[in-house]
Amino acid sequence: MRQTSQHGQWTSRFAFILAATGSAVGLGNIWKFPYIAGENGGGAFVLIYLVCILAIGLPIMIAEIMLGRRGRQSPINSMRDLAVEAGASRFWSWLGWLGVVAGFLILSYYSVIAGWAMAYVVRVASGVFEGVTADGVSNIFGQLIADPEKLLAWHSLFMIVTMLVVARGVKGLERTVKFLMPALLAILILLVGYAMEQDAFEQGVLFLFQADFSKVTSEAVLTAMGHAFFTLSLGMGAIMVYGSYLPRKVSIGSTAVMIALADTVVALLAGLAIFPIVFANGLEPGSGPGLIFQTLPIAFGHMAYGSIFGTLFFILLVFAAWSSSISLIEPAVAWLVENKRMSRMRACIWVGLATWGLGIGTVLSFNLTADIKLFDKTFFDILDYLTANIMLPLGGFSIAIFAGWVMSKENSASELQIKSPILFNGWLFLVKFVSPIAVAVVFLNAIDVI
Ligand code: TRP
């Protein structure tokens, strides 16, 4: 097996943790988690999500990093070589292809939402939210998403900055995330502090943590599981490709635990900051993708130095999205460089353009084409459902099957270097049985097969 990747390597374990945490922590934690928790009734959904992180997400994350480091190439080529090594069919490379397509689809809409966050930097900084009411914020948000030209401009800008980092390769990725995570965490804690002063704090906490299973549908369980994949960046090769740049000596298990933990803490803090504000202002928890854009500005509009903190918050959110978006497109770029002998720059231009083009569909789905629906879903909803609820679980399922059943135990043990046999066997049991069965049951249940 290869010792290093042709694309380079992380300089340290810490650099990998930062990059992988940078990939995991993003819009999924701060934008998506609160609104889907809100739409699915809160507590019980949150609990199911946490169980999915532990029983499905964490073991699959370990598997994905392991496959990446052993393959040392883009997911497509890594999967092919690892399958050959295990005496299985070369067609396992389809898993890499699934990931490339999923990453492309996700980034196309991720970039549009990141564009909203960029637009908010300017709005908060200009002071429009000072002393604002809930209605006022909703109006400002409504005006933004009703304007396709503005959304397109921000989406274009976000795609450009994403591709600029990817074009610089592994080194570029590393530098971007170093100072970001601590700062983001600090402002989130500040926001939770504001939320704690609200009378509705307790109501918010109860909404988030009091589990009422009577409201849980099979569809909600699928959404919770899909989000566990989404938020940990699993199931499409992003973490695999990052793993391929990981130095040999680094212990994969403990590293994955840290990444998953950091990701979960950020999501829960975001929820704790947002729901008290929702209830204090008579807003709807189930109001959809606009939720954080219609709640957090209220907090910033009423706290001391709110415009400054608010500006900083949205800047950090953009950065968090940025360090995630680069991982969504890295598998495709790495493959083009490996197989089509393209320079990194050219590869970035082509995938960047294609992703940008598809993103226009999402831009329009919030305004001009908002009424065009298939199965009651807009273009954005369809992309989101198809990727998070179908493609990522399918990818994760296949990764678990490959790591647990196809790859030999000797090889996975030698790659993971987990010293305690109990922990290693525990991991193996999870990827062999628990994760794949859980994914299959949830999935089949949601599409009404069982
Ligand atoms: N995890 C990121 C978030 O929560 C998004 C993301 C980055 C992602 N890379 C991914 C999602 C790969 C799925 C697969 O915002």
Side-chain angles (χ1 to χ4, degrees):
M1 278 281 135
R2 293 162 199 254
Q3 284 304 310
T4 55
S5 159
Q6 74 178 78
H7 308 283
Q9 227 186 119
W10 306 113
T11 51
S12 64
R13 170 177 192 237
F14 185 58
F16 171 74
I17 294 180
L18 279 175
T21 311
S23 164
V25 176
L27 296 175
N29 306 61
I30 293 170
W31 159 73
K32 192 172 178 188
F33 171 71
Y35 94 74
I36 57 175
E39 283 176 337
N40 290 288
F45 175 89
V46 175
L47 195 68
I48 297 168
Y49 155 79
L50 292 174
V51 171
C52 289
I53 294 272
L54 261 183
I56 304 176
L58 189 58
I60 291 182
M61 178 181 276
I62 294 175
E64 206 177 319
I65 301 174
M66 173 190 84
L67 297 178
R69 186 166 73 179
R70 199 164 179 83
R72 288 278 186 222
Q73 300 159 81
S74 68
I76 296 174
N77 292 335
S78 286
M79 286 312 300
R80 183 200 56 216
D81 286 6
L82 291 172
V84 170
E85 180 194 46
S89 156
R90 301 165 59 88
F91 284 114
W92 273 97
S93 60
W94 73 267
L95 182 52
W97 283 107
L98 177 81
V100 164
V101 176
F104 162 69
L105 298 180
I106 295 175
L107 183 56
S108 78
Y109 74 79
Y110 202 84
S111 167
V112 176
I113 311 293
W116 298 359
M118 285 178 147
Y120 264 56
V121 172
V122 182
R123 285 174 180 58
V124 184
S126 70
V128 289
F129 292 118
E130 273 164 34
V132 78
T133 61
D135 280 345
V137 192
S138 294
N139 277 339
I140 294 174
F141 178 71
Q143 275 168 15
L144 172 68
I145 65 166
D147 186 340
E149 283 170 23
K150 277 199 190 120
L151 294 190
L152 184 62
W154 289 114
H155 160 57
S156 310
L157 182 61
F158 187 80
M159 278 310 302
I160 291 171
V161 293
T162 295
M163 298 329 285
L164 280 177
V165 175
V166 181
R168 295 180 57 205
V170 176
K171 289 259 148 25
L173 307 184
E174 203 175 306
R175 246 169 259 153
T176 322
V177 284
K178 278 220 160 120
F179 63 99
L180 189 102
M181 295 299 141
L184 187 71
L185 203 63
I187 301 210
L188 265 182
I189 291 171
L190 177 92
L191 278 172
V192 175
Y194 173 83
M196 284 171 104
E197 288 173 9
Q198 309 294 312
D199 292 336
F201 185 65
E202 202 187 323
Q203 200 184 346
V205 174
L206 288 179
F207 180 78
L208 204 56
F209 294 113
Q210 196 174 55
D212 172 4
F213 286 94
S214 67
K215 287 191 215 121
V216 175
T217 60
S218 56
E219 195 62 43
V221 180
L222 176 63
T223 304
M225 183 182 76
H227 188 64
F229 284 105
F230 186 92
T231 192
L232 295 175
S233 304
L234 297 177
M236 54 108 351
I239 288 294
M240 198 184 291
V241 83
Y242 275 21
S244 74
Y245 310 143
L246 185 63
R248 267 261 106 83
K249 294 190 304 286
V250 174
S251 135
I252 293 177
S254 57
T255 307
V257 170
M258 290 176 62
I259 299 165
L261 192 69
D263 187 79
T264 308
V265 168
V266 173
L268 294 180
L269 283 177
L272 276 179
I274 285 157
F275 288 109
I277 302 175
V278 169
F279 295 118
N281 293 281
L283 295 160
E284 257 304 306
S287 56
L291 186 66
I292 68 157
F293 295 95
Q294 301 179 64
T295 49
L296 293 181
I298 301 177
F300 293 125
H302 291 94
M303 64 168 80
Y305 307 109
S307 294
I308 298 177
F309 287 129
T311 310
L312 208 58
F313 173 82
F314 282 106
I315 290 177
L316 288 168
L317 184 58
V318 171
F319 271 98
W322 194 7
S323 64
S324 298
S325 62
I326 53 186
S327 73
L328 282 162
I329 210 67
E330 177 67 17
V333 170
W335 182 79
L336 283 175
V337 173
E338 283 166 16
N339 287 48
K340 299 290 161 202
R341 305 200 173 187
M342 268 191 204
S343 67
R344 212 168 224 284
M345 186 57 118
R346 269 185 94 86
C348 282
I349 292 174
W350 285 114
V351 266
L353 274 176
T355 316
W356 174 82
L358 186 66
I360 296 174
T362 294
V363 163
L364 299 179
S365 76
F366 288 106
N367 35 68
L368 300 183
T369 62
D371 295 329
I372 303 183
K373 291 186 178 167
L374 198 68
F375 302 117
D376 206 30
K377 289 181 159 46
T378 64
F379 185 75
F380 158 73
D381 296 330
I382 291 173
L383 278 187
D384 177 39
Y385 191 90
L386 177 70
T387 51
N389 290 12
I390 299 175
M391 296 175 89
L392 299 182
L394 182 64
F397 173 85
S398 315
I399 287 168
I401 295 291
F402 189 91
W405 296 94
V406 179
M407 194 166 175
S408 73
K409 198 174 157 184
E410 292 70 45
N411 284 347
S412 57
S414 98
E415 197 61 45
L416 287 178
Q417 298 283 354
I418 298 178
K419 298 207 182 61
S420 140
I422 299 182
L423 284 181
F424 176 74
N425 287 324
W427 168 78
L428 199 60
F429 180 74
L430 287 172
V431 283
K432 264 191 150 157
F433 302 104
V434 179
S435 319
I437 292 174
V439 175
V441 168
V442 171
F443 189 74
L444 295 176
N445 197 11
I447 57 173
D448 281 339
V449 178
I450 50 176

